[in-house]
Amino acid sequence: MKHKFSFPLSGAILAIMAVSLYLDACSSLEEEQELSNSLDVNVVEPVERDFDEIKDRGVLRMITRYSSNTYFLHQGVEWGFEYELVRRFAKEHDVALEVVVIGVGENPYDMLNSGQGDLIAGNYTTTPERKKYVDFTHPYNLVDQVVVYSSEIGDPPPTVDDLALSGIPVTMRSNSSYYHRIQDLWEDSTNISVNLVPNQKDTESLLFDVSRGKYSATVADDNIFQASAKYMDGLVQGPTISENDTIAWAVRKNASQLKKEMNRFLSDHFQFRSEGKDPKRSLFLDVLKQRYFEGGRQVAEYYSPSPDMEKSGSLSPYDELIQTVADSAGLDWLMVTSIIAQETKFDPMAKSWAGAVGLMQILPRYSQVTDTTMLYNEEVNLREGVRIINNHLDHYSYIDSTDRWSFALAAYNAGEGHMADARRLAIDHNKDPNEWDNVADALLKLMHRSYYRNARYGFCRGIETVRYVREINSRYKVYKNIMAMEDYNEDEALPGVLGFFN
């Protein structure tokens, strides 16, 4: 049986998961099949880390792509169907959620099995090919695979057989569940022409390319198509090639405890009914479905940002101001942005129960600004916050650069007094007080009376401070990854991360 392939020589890819080089044409069918069947997995022996260790560490790491239906930033705040669902699971088990964005050229299966993350949450269909390398949880969605045409092709073929006869190439990735379905159709002698592109291309970016006529057709899950069609012009739904595919999280094959806990969680939110009926979803899952696939404000503005949003920056409404102030103080503006996201989610009018105010939650008694009302001014507040952070960094200047920021962040959150207590406690336990992990452990001990009754500054909610530091550092890594994509695309004259779909 002979199948039709066409390979573009070059092209622009969406900055969300950008890569500009296309695959060269294969010289034989055997080479084509080797390419198409490969998930490019290199790490096949998973690390030993199951739910107990995740609980002890207090962090669940979620591997995902940067897209409107998985994880994205809107006005500096984190959103996404997968992000909110996994965050709910993490919260129920009292662990922090750390997002690991798949970078250019990175393989999610290798990232999972090497221990960079604990699950892949990316709207993944369970397929036999994927199950060779990872295990899957209980499903949390059912989707149909539909062909999506560009409106520029005229009258689109209405059936799968008509599509095969038309010779119109359907553009897709070789590691997608869509391609596996196409291979099944080939076995049934339905010769659909396929145009393979790099595995870094995601469904959303391919839909965009189809909407502007770069490609004639692609395949998408029906929920992703329906969400995209609300904000992308030029998309026409074609025939269904697969029905009721199960969407699930991927975990390591040896993470049976984690899978068990996730299955228990997902079963509370998604259950199959009798044949022919829609599955039963919890209210929470229905809300997420409405928000991300049926048209929420955040997703609409992700696709079609207003002029004011476009001017606000890629990460937050205050990118330009943060860069200016941080640069003048010699600080990394991405770290400052991450602190503000943690403190107030970029709300300049925020005020805490303790009296901390403004973007960076400045306590007036520690401020050099005498007029407290001025701390609600974004620039004044930002300069005060940066000044205080710099003081903490100077205070710990003798500490290794890797840990120095963690110490400064902890002091910013808990105060230098509690930090001094924690460091003394670390010494009492014969541990190096200049290593963050040791001090973090001591901060947790200061929540217990047997330790804090002998501490100079008394009780400390150490778990909050440890999480504060961990989440800021985690978000900082995400920001760096996003900006690396932005820089890459700027160098390649490709579209930017946000403000793109206008």
Side-chain angles (χ1 to χ4, degrees):
M1 182 187 304
K2 186 175 181 180
H3 308 300
K4 299 177 182 178
F5 290 83
S6 60
F7 292 83
L9 298 177
S10 64
I13 190 170
L14 199 64
I16 297 168
M17 298 306 304
V19 66
S20 62
L21 299 178
Y22 282 83
L23 302 174
D24 293 329
C26 295
S27 58
S28 67
L29 179 60
E30 288 74 18
E31 290 174 338
E32 292 163 355
Q33 290 174 330
E34 181 180 356
L35 169 66
S36 66
N37 291 331
S38 174
L39 294 177
D40 300 323
V41 175
N42 294 309
V43 181
V44 295
E45 292 295 330
V47 299
E48 295 288 341
R49 184 189 300 146
D50 209 341
F51 190 63
D52 285 345
E53 185 175 344
I54 293 169
K55 285 280 287 184
D56 290 342
R57 186 182 61 199
V59 182
L60 177 71
R61 294 192 175 106
M62 161 190 166
I63 300 169
T64 192
R65 294 190 180 277
Y66 191 89
S67 74
S68 69
N69 57 73
T70 53
Y71 170 83
F72 67 97
L73 299 175
H74 170 68
Q75 292 287 276
V77 179
E78 295 161 306
W79 297 90
F81 178 92
E82 299 286 356
Y83 172 72
E84 292 205 49
L85 188 58
V86 178
R87 186 178 62 178
R88 178 72 167 255
F89 171 80
K91 184 177 181 180
E92 288 189 10
H93 289 279
D94 197 30
V95 294
L97 176 61
E98 182 175 309
V99 177
V100 181
V101 175
I102 304 167
V104 175
E106 291 184 317
N107 185 299
Y109 308 101
D110 288 342
M111 296 171 72
L112 178 65
N113 284 329
S114 66
Q116 294 180 55
D118 302 307
L119 77 155
I120 303 173
N123 199 65
Y124 274 26
T125 303
T126 58
T127 66
E129 181 71 11
R130 288 170 174 168
K131 292 176 78 170
K132 293 177 184 177
Y133 306 104
V134 297
D135 203 354
F136 283 94
T137 64
H138 179 84
Y140 53 91
N141 203 4
L142 291 177
V143 298
D144 295 340
Q145 295 183 16
V146 297
V147 178
V148 182
Y149 297 115
S150 167
S151 60
E152 295 186 8
I153 69 171
D155 295 327
T159 68
V160 173
D161 289 337
D162 291 331
L163 172 61
L165 291 173
S166 73
I168 294 174
V170 181
T171 301
M172 62 185 65
R173 310 183 314 275
S174 64
N175 69 347
S176 67
S177 60
Y178 314 134
Y179 189 69
H180 299 153
R181 175 56 184 151
I182 291 294
Q183 289 178 307
D184 292 339
L185 291 173
W186 284 344
E187 293 300 321
D188 293 334
S189 299
T190 305
N191 271 355
I192 295 175
S193 179
V194 170
N195 174 36
L196 290 180
V197 293
N199 288 334
Q200 286 82 0
K201 292 278 274 189
D202 63 9
T203 301
E204 194 171 48
S205 64
L206 287 174
L207 285 170
F208 176 75
D209 286 340
V210 170
S211 74
R212 63 176 181 167
K214 181 176 180 179
Y215 301 126
S216 298
T218 190
V219 178
D221 292 344
D222 58 344
N223 58 344
I224 296 178
F225 162 73
Q226 288 160 10
S228 300
K230 292 179 183 296
Y231 313 108
M232 296 182 195
D233 295 328
L235 297 178
V236 178
Q237 182 172 346
T240 298
I241 64 172
S242 180
E243 295 182 342
N244 292 329
D245 287 344
T246 56
I247 303 296
W249 291 334
V251 297
R252 286 181 288 272
K253 283 179 173 288
N254 57 1
S256 58
Q257 287 181 311
L258 178 60
K259 179 182 175 181
K260 181 179 179 181
E261 293 297 332
M262 288 181 165
N263 282 345
R264 182 180 294 123
F265 168 80
L266 292 171
S267 295
D268 289 339
H269 294 282
F270 186 90
Q271 296 177 3
F272 292 103
R273 294 184 178 183
S274 57
E275 187 175 350
K277 292 187 177 181
D278 290 335
K280 181 180 179 181
R281 294 179 174 85
S282 68
L283 177 60
F284 173 69
L285 204 57
D286 265 338
V287 169
L288 293 188
K289 183 171 177 282
Q290 167 65 32
R291 179 176 296 157
Y292 294 104
F293 297 113
E294 296 175 9
R297 175 178 60 85
Q298 293 81 12
V299 179
E301 291 181 346
Y302 171 86
Y303 280 108
S304 302
S306 66
D308 288 342
M309 284 182 60
E310 286 187 88
K311 295 173 184 176
S312 69
S314 295
L315 298 179
S316 81
Y318 302 104
D319 280 7
E320 186 175 343
L321 177 60
I322 295 171
Q323 288 182 60
T324 298
V325 174
D327 288 349
S328 67
L331 297 184
D332 187 332
W333 78 277
L334 295 179
M335 181 62 84
V336 176
T337 305
S338 184
I339 295 171
I340 299 172
Q342 187 75 19
E343 290 285 356
T344 62
K345 296 184 178 179
F346 306 98
D347 179 5
M349 302 306 294
K351 183 176 181 178
S352 77
W353 63 269
V357 300
L359 281 176
M360 296 193 72
Q361 291 292 272
I362 306 300
L363 284 167
R365 66 179 178 271
Y366 295 129
S367 174
Q368 293 180 350
V369 177
T370 56
D371 184 356
T372 302
T373 61
M374 288 299 297
L375 290 175
Y376 288 102
N377 176 280
E378 291 92 333
E379 182 172 353
V380 172
N381 189 284
L382 184 56
R383 290 192 181 279
E384 278 296 276
V386 164
R387 179 186 63 79
I388 295 170
I389 283 287
N390 245 339
N391 287 342
H392 290 314
L393 287 168
D394 289 342
H395 183 77
Y396 299 110
S397 60
Y398 54 89
I399 290 176
D400 180 85
S401 59
T402 303
D403 284 338
R404 186 182 173 201
W405 261 107
S406 293
F407 275 80
L409 292 171
Y412 190 82
N413 177 258
E416 289 184 355
H418 287 307
M419 286 295 291
D421 283 345
R423 297 184 72 201
R424 282 191 290 268
L425 186 55
I427 293 172
D428 290 344
H429 285 77
N430 297 315
K431 294 183 178 180
D432 186 347
N434 295 333
E435 291 186 7
W436 168 246
D437 286 346
N438 297 335
V439 176
D441 182 63
L443 283 168
L444 297 177
K445 286 183 169 65
L446 288 173
M447 296 176 64
H448 302 285
R449 189 173 184 276
S450 59
Y451 291 105
Y452 72 71
R453 67 183 178 182
N454 297 317
R456 181 177 179 182
Y457 292 90
F459 174 82
C460 175
R461 288 193 62 82
I463 191 171
E464 290 185 358
T465 301
V466 171
R467 284 185 175 178
Y468 177 88
V469 173
R470 180 188 295 134
E471 289 175 7
I472 288 176
N473 284 327
S474 173
R475 186 181 298 105
Y476 171 69
K477 293 175 185 177
V478 172
Y479 286 173
K480 285 184 67 176
N481 205 338
I482 293 170
M483 296 311 296
M485 297 176 192
E486 189 89 339
D487 291 341
Y488 176 89
N489 280 0
E490 184 176 346
D491 291 341
E492 299 295 325
L494 299 177
V497 175
L498 297 178
F500 178 58
F501 289 101
N502 284 16

